[in-house]
Amino acid sequence: TVSAVAARHILDSRGYPTVAVRLTLGDGTTVDASAPAGASTGEFEAVELRDGGDAFSGRGVHKAVASVTGELAEVLTSRPWATLHDLDAAMIDLDGTENLARLGANAVVAVSIAATRAFAHVAGTSVHAWLSRLTGSAERLPVPHFNVLNGGAHAANPLDFQEFMVAPVGAASEDEAVRMGAEIYHALAARVKQSFGTAGLGDEGGFAPDLANPHEALDLLVAAIGDTGLTAAVDQVAIAIDPAANGFSQGEGRYRIDGTVLDRGQLVEYYERLLDAYPLRSVEDGFAEDDYEGWRLMFDATCHRVQLVGDDLYVTDARRIEEGALRGWSNAVLIKPNQIGTVTGTLDAIAVARERNMRCMVSHRSGETTDDFIADLAVGTGVGQIKSGAPARGERVAKYNRLTEIEADCPGIPYGLTEGTAR
Ligand code: PGA
Ligand code: ZN
């Protein structure tokens, strides 16, 4: 049982407020959680409640905090909750909208994550073990995808693509994968300094030098991997990109990259040339969230040779994922709890993806806190892949450090991609 509910606003990694929740349980234990926030958000995401007005450029969350301490607290303390599913369903009912707009997805997701921790505590187990039992999944330590070069909506440079990630697929353990990621990050820092003098950082802690186009970024990345003595290859240190194509879509299936406008077919060919030239294992949001025809073309041309991940396309919504499976939009799904607003909704999304033979990658948001829930989520559901930004900055490394903590605490959980997902 929940005996008390507290909430307040804290700052996220971009310096904007977000919701932090603390539940006090019957035995006096407290559990905490806080909500992340995206910048390149999908149109169909659950909606954050923001105050408007002058403070924090309108991004205050006093109303969302009041949702937690008011209506949601009443629900939480009204009776003992037997299952997380029941509690999440009750919060969605109470909200009454399609997208949690009334109470705020930022309020609801923080409560749902805190409640998950409460259930694990009551069961006397870790959050990852509890999620594994709940979902019937074999635990797995995920391959981290370190976002080391930033562009798009996350940086001020001219680079059109949002994220360039390195994924130590061939590492023997999480600990080794984190070491490889950090070494590549440092090698990249030296090259950036040499070529650009200085460079800012993007929102996820990756470097944001004035790279002109994706080819330059990928060349730089391959060179930095080589500097460390590691091998840039799909089964060693692979590369993943999130172009986040909403950001350079011109509408009606047209896209502007590096000053040139491409139609759908030309964009597919552009990606195919990148696949030929670089060890890419994954392309996320290669087309805009509503360009279903573009997704289809890309899927038909490349699904046999690369992982195609839908983020803004699916917004962690089981119904949209089901539709994507039936229509052939992608072979993988990005999983972000705050896009759908509850942990139950998140687990439903993973379950549907699995039924349809689509892979999942658990993900942070560009605006983060030090909450490390997604590390346990990735391990407990055994999806085999996670992205949490650069191997630097507190809010990013909180997740990677939690993964290595789990590895140290629980020897025997295997590391790596699930079978058949080399690309
Ligand atoms: P966001 O970006 O958190 O700013 O939405 C992350 C992503 O596109 O994967
Ligand atoms: Zn994305």
Side-chain angles (χ1 to χ4, degrees):
T1 59
V2 176
S3 60
V5 178
R8 62 198 187 93
H9 73 181
I10 60 171
L11 291 181
D12 73 12
S13 57
R14 272 191 283 257
Y16 287 115
T18 190
V19 179
V21 169
R22 172 167 295 173
L23 307 182
T24 305
L25 310 183
D27 66 0
T29 309
T30 57
V31 287
D32 292 281
S34 51
S40 63
T41 50
E43 186 191 340
F44 308 105
E45 290 193 26
V47 172
E48 295 174 334
L49 191 56
R50 299 278 179 187
D51 296 340
D54 292 335
F56 291 112
S57 317
R59 297 181 59 82
V61 293
H62 286 116
K63 292 176 185 170
V65 165
S67 295
V68 178
T69 55
E71 290 182 67
L72 290 168
E74 221 164 280
V75 168
L76 281 159
T77 56
S78 63
R79 62 182 174 95
W81 291 94
T83 68
L84 179 66
H85 177 273
D86 288 352
L87 173 62
D88 283 341
M91 291 197 288
I92 290 167
D93 269 2
L94 176 69
D95 177 82
T97 68
E98 270 290 292
N99 51 14
L100 299 176
R102 194 179 71 79
L103 295 169
N106 43 354
V108 174
V109 80
V111 170
S112 185
I113 292 170
T116 305
R117 294 195 164 110
F119 277 104
H121 169 75
V122 169
T125 182
S126 63
V127 172
H128 61 87
W130 188 79
L131 288 168
S132 159
R133 210 173 305 162
L134 179 71
T135 61
S137 312
E139 291 184 287
R140 182 167 279 278
L141 288 155
V143 172
H145 289 58
F146 300 103
N147 181 13
V148 291
L149 279 175
N150 296 182
H154 293 167
N157 60 9
L159 201 52
D160 296 306
F161 287 10
Q162 182 177 279
E163 304 175 16
F164 296 82
M165 294 168 269
V166 290
V169 170
S173 66
E174 193 76 50
D175 193 59
E176 189 181 34
V178 169
R179 174 177 64 77
M180 289 175 174
E183 287 178 359
I184 294 164
Y185 185 71
H186 297 137
L188 189 60
R191 280 196 175 261
V192 166
K193 192 174 171 195
Q194 195 179 43
S195 305
F196 300 91
T198 60
L201 292 183
D203 286 354
E204 301 188 350
F207 302 105
D210 275 345
L211 292 157
N213 58 54
H215 288 272
E216 275 189 15
L218 290 163
D219 287 337
L220 182 63
L221 209 45
V222 168
I225 294 167
D227 290 343
T228 63
L230 297 166
T231 307
V234 284
D235 59 349
Q236 294 295 314
V237 177
I239 295 178
I241 55 174
D242 179 4
N246 284 349
F248 54 90
S249 164
Q250 310 284 293
E252 275 148 41
R254 302 176 77 75
Y255 298 85
R256 182 188 287 273
I257 297 178
D258 197 11
T260 307
V261 177
L262 306 178
D263 66 21
R264 294 184 177 103
Q266 290 169 322
L267 184 55
V268 170
E269 284 166 16
Y270 186 92
Y271 288 129
E272 286 182 308
R273 284 195 296 275
L274 292 183
L275 294 176
D276 291 340
Y278 302 99
L280 286 172
R281 69 167 300 268
S282 185
V283 177
E284 176 182 327
D285 281 357
F287 283 79
E289 64 196 355
D290 53 2
D291 185 5
Y292 308 122
E293 203 182 317
W295 279 93
R296 278 295 315 255
L297 275 180
M298 179 74 175
F299 182 84
D300 289 343
T302 66
C303 73
H304 60 286
R305 59 191 294 218
V306 71
Q307 173 173 266
L308 301 168
V309 185
D311 168 16
D312 294 336
L313 177 68
Y314 296 128
V315 294
T316 316
D317 183 332
R319 278 170 304 186
R320 288 183 66 84
I321 296 165
E322 180 82 30
E323 194 178 346
L326 296 176
R327 296 182 183 225
W329 290 344
S330 81
N331 55 23
V333 179
L334 203 72
I335 299 292
K336 293 168 165 171
N338 83 321
Q339 281 183 326
I340 191 68
T342 63
V343 173
T344 301
T346 305
L347 299 177
D348 288 347
I350 294 172
V352 166
R354 284 207 164 130
E355 261 166 45
R356 297 295 180 178
N357 268 323
M358 295 157 93
R359 306 154 198 168
C360 292
M361 184 188 296
V362 166
S363 171
H364 68 154
R365 299 310 301 254
S366 54
E368 268 292 339
T369 72
T370 51
D371 191 303
D372 58 10
F373 174 73
I374 60 164
D376 284 74
L377 176 66
V379 174
T381 55
V383 293
Q385 316 178 58
I386 192 170
K387 67 169 194 175
S388 177
R393 296 182 32 158
E395 77 283 3
R396 310 298 150 187
V397 300
K399 284 68 162 173
Y400 298 129
N401 288 339
R402 174 62 185 148
L403 291 172
T404 53
E405 180 182 49
I406 294 170
E407 182 168 67
D409 286 351
C410 310
I413 302 180
Y415 165 83
L417 299 172
T418 51
E419 232 149 82
T421 60
R423 276 202 153 179

